[in-house]
Amino acid sequence: MSSSSVSAADMAAVKTSSNGMWQGDDPLHFAFPLLILQTLLILLLSRILAFLLRPLRQPKVIAEIVAGILLGPSALGRNKAYLRALFPPWSAPVLESVASLGLLFFLFLVGLELDLRSVRRSGRRAFAIAAAGISLPFVCGVGVSFVIRRAIPGADEAGYAPFLVFMGVALSITAFPVLARILAELKLLTTSIGETALAAAAFNDVAAWVLLALAVAISGSGDDRRSPVTSLWVLLSGAAFVAVWMLAVRPLMSWVARRSDAGGGGDAVWVAATLAGVLASGLATDMIGIHAIFGAFVFGLTVPKDGAFAGRVTERVEDLVSELLLPLYFASSGLKTDVATIRGGGALAMLALVIGTACAGKIVGTFAVAMACGMGAKEAIVLGVLMNTKGLVELIVLNIGRERKVLNEETFAILVLMALVTTFITTPMVMAIYKPARAAGRRRLHPRKLHGPTTSAPSSPSSSAAANAKELRVLACIHGGHDVPALINLIETIRGHTQPRRLVKLYILRMVELTERTSSILMARAARRNGLPFLRPSRRGDDQIDVAFGTYAQLGHVHVRPMTAVSALHTMHQDVEAVAEDKRVSLIIVPFHKRQLAGHGDEVENLGPEWRAVNRRILREAPCSVAVLVDRGFGGGEQVSSEQVAHGVCVVFFGGPDDREALELAGRMAEHPGVQVTVVRFLDGKAGHEEHTEVTLRPSEAKNVEKSYTFATATVNGHREKELDEAAVVEFQQKMGAMVRFEERVAAGNVVEEVVAIGKSREYGLVVVGKGRLPSAMVAELAVRPAEHPELGPIGDALASAGHGVASSVLVVQQHDMNADEVPVTVVQIDGHAHDGELGKDDNVAVP
């Protein structure tokens, strides 16, 4: 499909919209209905392919190009009837015009993302790496172009100079936007190697646009009849455009940003003026004879990166551009790519030559200079692989070359496939070669428990500090503003004493999913240092979350330190673990993946299985104790001051390390004057009978971890655990005295029903339970129950399940254990009788 083959007469005969099929019109013969159908097909197929490629961590542009190739003449387009019906030649200019508008604004976002000051600050090393990474591949591209002109029929019809320059640019370019997203995905964005790669790519990007402007200036319409004086005028006019925009428009945009940041109701006016500036800049460079996207890119560079204005403009533009219009552009590139033109051994050899030359030139050039600059061999080779990223900008160059008739159909197809292959291999190669040191061996380095060291774990300075109760360090993870009131009320409850105020250090980690949106990448760069989330000072004009925690810090005399983790969900837990280790916290609080909507009765919002998986990984990998908060409007759903706290807390105690940790939390809560703590200890009604004193669980590989409760495989001394339980209860009673209501119940019937009745009583705002990884006999009997939320343990799951009608919020506590490997079980032996099968003598988990 080519827009160049459509005459003006054909386009004049095309009508925009039809009168409908009931009046005899075929909607597919009209421009607008056909455009809608083409857009739907492209978006649907590209989304499906993006989902399939997600496990390989491939950028979305790969799926969009492949979608276009599948819809075009390479695959489905081999059926000519399909191609004439859905992608007729007259529809190409319409589709490409809409797609080009999206491309114009995307290049504006690329310029907005590229901070020239960081490029200048990056130093000589990044400049040297960029120079080597663009010069050697450019020379290789020029060399390959001579071979291609002789080997591919029709490739020699274009003039030598534009063909050589386009081939050189095609092989030497590094796609800055795609590279930034790959680095963010791999958590390398703000590491030393990531910053070097990004700075070098920025240099490379600027150089590539200069070379592209040169190529466009000298290419004309694809022949050699263009006067050199005309090309010179185009280059001089382009240089004058850049100078005027940097010297005159840039200060003007700084003034616009300041006026917008100052507030008032005219923010929409300034955003609209900025978008108009994008269009005007594109029109100016198109009139010069370079390309409209060059003007949009330069205009993006003029917008100041400080302040909130750039973020607001990005948020207004990026969704429509990146999710709707840009896929059309890259799909249209695939539609114009006919893989069938690459036929025969000679063409395949050219494809292999181009891919090999592009990879070798970029990787070898970058590797050599990086080694000369003092980088290690592994880091240098990884940097070369990263700099070999193609994709977005590469396709723009190729499409311009095709429009200018510099590249014919076969050459264009070869270069598109080269861009696909080089981008596709980047992430897998980097993951295979480079393992950041900070990610290795960090698991559970400093065992910390709220009540200090026990006989089951070695002590450490941090655990001793926690035991002294002079300072409690808590890492609270949140998804958004809806988590804030309950979290602040929980921290206020846990802190205990208000006079004198107990020292609490609260680290707030806002968990934000990393996407391919420009604003997500900008946030990731702003929120990380050396690859990790870092403490950011609260600033005037911050959002409501920072304001809420800032107010709590002042009124509650609590040290609050906000951070943001912008990560892919499958690696989010690594950021949580890293911050917990770095700040040596004693407790991590994470929100449950389901929450009750305020003012909507029993309606529950489910954040999805991905966020649930994040919680499961945190519970499994955390270097300290973890508490999962199931919020049902704790504290009335509003943030209250210390003097206004007034609610009941019930701690359910069965026994085991997790329950002892919950009891330790209860001791802190009871010291708060506004909190009434009740401890309900369940005693085994069968405990007086000797044959009922031991329950044995057998690990089962046949059960699904996602749907079954898991228990710790550590070998424990049952009698010792009982002694620790008794000692913890006695110490708690002696310390708390009349401050706490203590109740013992003999569990003669259904334990789950009795616990759920506590949650349904509406007497308590919060019910605290242990997860029960080393369960008592009563909890172990529940191991074979159907599990809805197995990560909460049997008791926590019963309280969190919506079907039970529990009104109280629930806090499920898991004590840190260095040997916390957990497995599902299938057999429970009680009173010598086996349930769910025969009980063997090996691989059993003893339960007190």
Side-chain angles (χ1 to χ4, degrees):
M1 184 179 69
S2 176
S3 59
S4 59
S5 61
V6 182
S7 66
D10 293 333
M11 289 303 301
V14 176
K15 294 183 179 181
T16 303
S17 58
S18 70
N19 294 318
M21 60 183 182
W22 299 116
Q23 298 189 41
D25 284 349
D26 184 352
L28 297 186
H29 292 165
F30 295 82
F32 191 59
L34 183 60
L35 176 65
I36 293 175
L37 181 59
Q38 291 172 341
T39 303
L40 287 174
L41 284 174
I42 291 169
L43 293 181
L44 179 63
L45 185 56
S46 62
R47 280 295 182 181
I48 293 173
L49 291 174
F51 176 78
L52 296 176
L53 292 173
R54 186 187 300 174
L56 299 176
R57 300 193 183 185
Q58 292 301 316
K60 195 171 60 174
V61 63
I62 295 288
E64 292 164 356
I65 299 171
V66 174
I69 291 176
L70 293 178
L71 291 172
S74 300
L76 296 176
R78 290 182 175 275
N79 185 327
K80 300 303 180 184
Y82 151 84
L83 203 61
R84 285 194 301 270
L86 294 182
F87 295 97
W90 60 262
S91 71
V94 179
L95 179 64
E96 291 177 15
S97 295
V98 175
S100 296
L101 185 64
L103 181 66
L104 191 75
F105 281 101
F106 174 74
L107 264 296
F108 164 69
L109 293 178
V110 172
L112 201 62
E113 190 176 342
L114 183 60
D115 190 351
L116 291 178
R117 291 178 301 176
S118 65
V119 174
R120 290 195 296 266
R121 289 195 302 264
S122 57
R124 296 180 179 178
R125 183 169 75 169
F127 179 77
I129 291 172
I134 198 170
S135 57
L136 183 58
F138 188 89
V139 172
C140 293
V142 171
V144 168
S145 63
F146 286 102
V147 180
I148 289 179
R149 286 176 71 89
R150 288 197 298 267
I152 296 179
D156 56 353
E157 293 180 3
Y160 257 109
F163 188 79
L164 298 183
V165 175
F166 266 103
M167 286 296 299
V169 173
L171 267 66
S172 61
I173 206 166
T174 296
F176 176 84
V178 178
L179 177 62
R181 283 145 184 79
I182 290 176
L183 290 172
E185 170 82 8
L186 299 177
K187 297 186 186 296
L188 299 175
L189 193 61
T190 57
T191 61
S192 176
I193 189 171
E195 289 180 339
T196 301
L198 215 55
F203 278 122
N204 195 304
D205 228 20
V206 174
W209 285 112
V210 173
L211 290 173
L212 178 61
L214 173 65
V216 171
I218 63 177
S219 62
S221 59
D223 54 42
D224 288 323
R225 292 175 294 176
R226 187 170 184 173
S227 168
V229 177
T230 304
S231 300
L232 180 61
W233 272 114
V234 171
L235 286 175
L236 292 177
S237 300
F241 170 84
V242 174
V244 171
W245 256 241
M246 287 299 169
L247 295 177
V249 177
R250 192 174 186 182
L252 178 62
M253 291 308 301
S254 298
W255 177 82
V256 167
R258 288 194 301 270
R259 288 294 302 270
S260 178
D261 290 341
D267 182 60
V269 175
W270 302 119
V271 173
T274 303
L275 299 184
V278 177
L279 298 174
S281 301
L283 177 62
T285 50
D286 190 80
M287 292 175 65
I288 289 172
I290 302 178
H291 200 284
I293 60 173
F294 186 77
F297 173 75
V298 173
F299 186 75
L301 295 177
T302 65
V303 178
K305 309 305 184 286
D306 299 329
F309 179 69
R312 287 196 298 273
V313 173
T314 301
E315 290 174 359
R316 303 282 180 91
V317 175
E318 64 180 346
D319 283 338
L320 179 65
V321 171
S322 61
E323 301 301 329
L324 179 64
L325 299 180
L326 199 61
L328 300 183
Y329 181 83
F330 297 114
S332 69
S333 300
L335 286 167
K336 291 180 285 189
T337 304
D338 190 358
V339 179
T341 59
I342 308 175
R343 62 171 66 91
L348 292 176
M350 285 297 101
L351 176 61
L353 175 65
V354 170
I355 294 175
T357 304
C359 294
K362 181 70 76 173
I363 294 174
V364 171
T366 303
F367 175 81
V369 176
M371 288 288 290
C373 292
M375 294 184 69
K378 182 180 290 188
E379 287 76 12
I381 192 71
V382 167
L383 189 61
V385 173
L386 289 171
M387 294 297 291
N388 194 39
T389 304
K390 301 281 193 292
L392 302 172
V393 185
E394 168 83 3
L395 283 177
I396 295 169
V397 172
L398 298 181
N399 275 287
I400 294 174
R402 190 177 182 278
E403 290 173 9
R404 303 279 173 157
K405 300 181 181 179
V406 176
L407 306 176
N408 66 358
E409 299 291 334
E410 187 173 351
T411 308
F412 178 79
I414 287 175
L415 293 176
V416 168
L417 292 180
M418 179 270 292
L420 276 174
V421 171
T422 53
T423 305
F424 187 89
I425 65 175
T426 299
T427 301
M429 286 184 68
V430 172
M431 291 178 63
I433 299 171
Y434 188 66
K435 304 291 183 184
R438 65 174 179 85
R442 197 185 65 234
R443 184 180 179 187
R444 305 184 183 95
L445 295 180
H446 305 289
R448 293 184 290 282
K449 302 174 183 178
L450 292 176
H451 60 274
T454 68
T455 56
S456 62
S459 62
S460 70
S462 56
S463 59
S464 299
N468 293 335
K470 292 181 179 179
E471 179 182 81
L472 176 64
R473 293 187 173 210
V474 178
L475 173 61
C477 304
I478 62 174
H479 298 134
H482 43 74
D483 297 321
V484 173
L487 182 60
I488 290 180
N489 291 329
L490 177 61
I491 296 299
E492 181 59 34
T493 303
I494 292 175
R495 69 181 297 183
H497 282 302
T498 57
Q499 297 295 336
R501 297 185 184 275
R502 176 171 288 173
L503 183 59
V504 177
K505 274 195 174 180
L506 177 59
Y507 298 95
I508 304 298
L509 187 65
R510 193 187 314 189
M511 300 184 295
V512 179
E513 181 181 5
L514 177 70
T515 65
E516 295 198 17
R517 299 172 64 185
T518 301
S519 59
S520 183
I521 304 301
L522 293 173
M523 186 183 296
R525 292 176 66 182
R528 305 177 81 89
R529 281 181 186 166
N530 198 27
L532 295 174
F534 73 100
L535 298 178
R536 52 184 175 83
S538 296
R539 299 181 303 272
R540 183 181 179 184
D542 280 349
D543 60 21
Q544 294 181 353
I545 295 178
D546 290 327
V547 171
F549 281 112
T551 303
Y552 176 60
Q554 293 178 356
L555 298 180
H557 298 279
V558 175
H559 296 283
V560 179
R561 298 292 184 269
M563 290 175 282
T564 301
V566 185
S567 295
L569 293 186
H570 59 270
T571 61
M572 182 69 73
H573 66 287
Q574 296 175 0
D575 283 341
V576 177
E577 298 157 28
V579 173
E581 280 292 342
D582 185 51
K583 305 306 176 187
R584 304 181 72 83
V585 302
S586 301
L587 178 66
I588 299 173
I589 300 175
V590 296
F592 192 48
H593 70 282
K594 294 180 180 179
R595 61 172 178 264
Q596 191 166 321
L597 296 176
H600 291 78
D602 294 332
E603 187 176 348
V604 175
E605 180 184 4
N606 191 339
L607 299 182
E610 294 87 359
W611 281 110
R612 180 186 179 187
V614 171
N615 285 359
R616 294 174 71 99
R617 295 187 191 101
I618 293 173
L619 286 164
R620 186 174 61 246
E621 305 288 340
C624 61
S625 296
V626 181
V628 181
L629 176 62
V630 183
D631 179 33
R632 294 191 176 102
F634 180 51
E638 295 180 357
Q639 178 183 342
V640 297
S641 63
S642 300
E643 294 74 14
Q644 295 174 315
V645 171
H647 47 249
V649 175
C650 181
V651 180
V652 179
F653 186 88
F654 287 94
D658 294 342
D659 285 36
R660 294 196 294 271
E661 193 80 335
L663 196 64
E664 177 68 18
L665 270 178
R668 300 186 67 98
M669 294 175 179
E671 296 174 348
H672 197 293
V675 178
Q676 177 59 51
V677 175
T678 300
V679 177
V680 179
R681 184 186 187 189
F682 283 88
L683 301 175
D684 192 350
K686 307 169 187 177
H689 305 281
E690 186 176 347
E691 63 271 18
H692 290 283
T693 57
E694 183 174 318
V695 177
T696 306
L697 307 179
R698 164 178 284 181
S700 171
E701 295 182 358
K703 281 199 170 184
N704 187 347
V705 179
E706 301 290 330
K707 299 179 180 179
S708 305
Y709 298 118
T710 57
F711 297 90
T713 58
T715 303
V716 296
N717 186 322
H719 294 291
R720 178 58 178 160
E721 282 296 311
K722 289 182 178 180
E723 291 176 359
L724 289 173
D725 289 343
E726 291 296 332
V729 171
V730 170
E731 181 184 355
F732 180 81
Q733 288 178 307
Q734 292 176 347
K735 181 181 178 182
M736 296 294 104
M739 296 171 59
V740 173
R741 188 174 70 183
F742 193 87
E743 180 183 341
E744 289 187 344
R745 297 184 186 180
V746 177
N750 189 321
V751 174
V752 171
E753 289 183 358
E754 294 189 47
V755 174
V756 168
I758 295 174
K760 295 170 69 174
S761 67
R762 298 186 181 274
E763 184 179 351
Y764 307 104
L766 181 69
V767 178
V768 183
V769 299
K771 181 182 176 183
R773 291 169 304 155
L774 289 175
S776 64
M778 292 174 287
V779 177
E781 292 183 37
L782 307 175
V784 293
R785 290 181 71 250
E788 184 178 354
H789 313 108
E791 67 271 19
L792 301 181
I795 302 300
D797 184 19
L799 290 167
S801 298
H804 290 149
V806 175
S808 304
S809 297
V810 182
L811 189 69
V812 181
V813 181
Q814 172 185 287
Q815 187 191 69
H816 174 251
D817 188 348
M818 293 189 70
N819 302 303
D821 294 329
E822 301 175 35
V823 294
V825 297
T826 189
V827 178
V828 180
Q829 179 174 318
I830 305 171
D831 191 20
H833 300 289
H835 297 249
D836 282 352
E838 287 293 326
L839 179 65
K841 296 182 179 179
D842 300 326
D843 300 326
N844 294 330
V845 181
V847 179

